[in-house]
Amino acid sequence: MASTVSNPKWKEKMEIAYEQHLREIYAPCVQLAREFEKTLGKEKTHEIIKNMYERDAVKSARQTRKKERIENFRDFLAWIKKTYGSPYWSHVLTYTLKEAPQEYWFTCTECLNAKVFRDMNAADLGYIMLCNTDFAATPAFHPKLRLRRTKTLMQGDECCNFDCYWEE
């Protein structure tokens, strides 16, 4: 029978660069996806990956909504600021945030996720796994939230332009 006791050494931190960490996480996913493309074809593989990642993003957003009690735009904006102001995201993204009472504009000019996927010649998969999920997740945070975005670094644009707004 497997042990349910957590070994304290498993809680220790290791030193690893953010870029190396992301490569180690995503490289096996990219490799597996490319193998599936050979068998199932690119279109079917991408559809399966897209659906899985969207489901996961929606589930995560709904859990966040409950945990953080996101009931209005101000609650959501506070969560955005807390999340993307964290040490992790401050190392992964370079961005500016402008806000209005019912809208914010998040412009990302550097994204380590995009760099890692583009370096692996897998921006198509990075977009499906990370960027595209924003459209499914946004209304899951709250039914009145909407997202407009026309550019992503993952797709080779000069920035990612998020326009998130509250629709009454």
Side-chain angles (χ1 to χ4, degrees), residues 65-81:
R65 179 181 182 195
K66 286 180 185 175
K67 180 181 169 197
E68 301 291 329
R69 297 192 168 139
I70 297 172
E71 298 301 327
N72 54 51
F73 187 76
R74 193 172 321 151
D75 294 342
F76 181 68
L77 187 58
W79 177 80
I80 286 289
K81 288 178 178 180

Side-chain angles (χ1 to χ4, degrees), residues 106-166:
F106 185 98
T107 304
C108 180
T109 55
E110 291 180 310
C111 174
L112 184 54
N113 288 312
K115 179 189 183 318
V116 167
F117 274 96
R118 291 176 65 76
D119 287 353
M120 291 189 292
N121 294 317
D124 57 336
L125 295 171
Y127 182 82
I128 294 166
M129 293 166 60
L130 303 176
C131 308
N132 185 65
T133 61
D134 295 333
F135 293 103
T138 299
F141 282 108
H142 194 283
K144 292 184 179 183
L145 278 172
R146 300 290 181 265
L147 172 67
R148 283 187 292 256
R149 186 179 62 219
T150 59
K151 300 176 185 178
T152 67
L153 292 162
M154 193 74 75
Q155 294 175 302
D157 294 310
E158 73 280 1
C159 68
C160 299
N161 62 340
F162 295 81
D163 176 6
C164 193
Y165 61 98
W166 190 263

Side-chain angles (χ1 to χ4, degrees), residues 7-18 21 87-88:
N7 189 321
K9 72 180 180 184
W10 297 337
K11 303 290 184 187
E12 291 177 16
K13 297 184 183 205
M14 61 182 187
E15 288 189 35
I16 185 171
Y18 284 87
H21 172 69
Y88 176 81

Side-chain angles (χ1 to χ4, degrees), residues 91-110:
H91 282 81
V92 173
L93 302 177
T94 302
Y95 66 91
T96 57
L97 178 70
K98 295 179 184 175
E99 60 185 274
Q102 300 291 314
E103 188 167 10
Y104 76 81
W105 301 270
F106 185 98
T107 304
C108 180
T109 55
E110 291 180 310

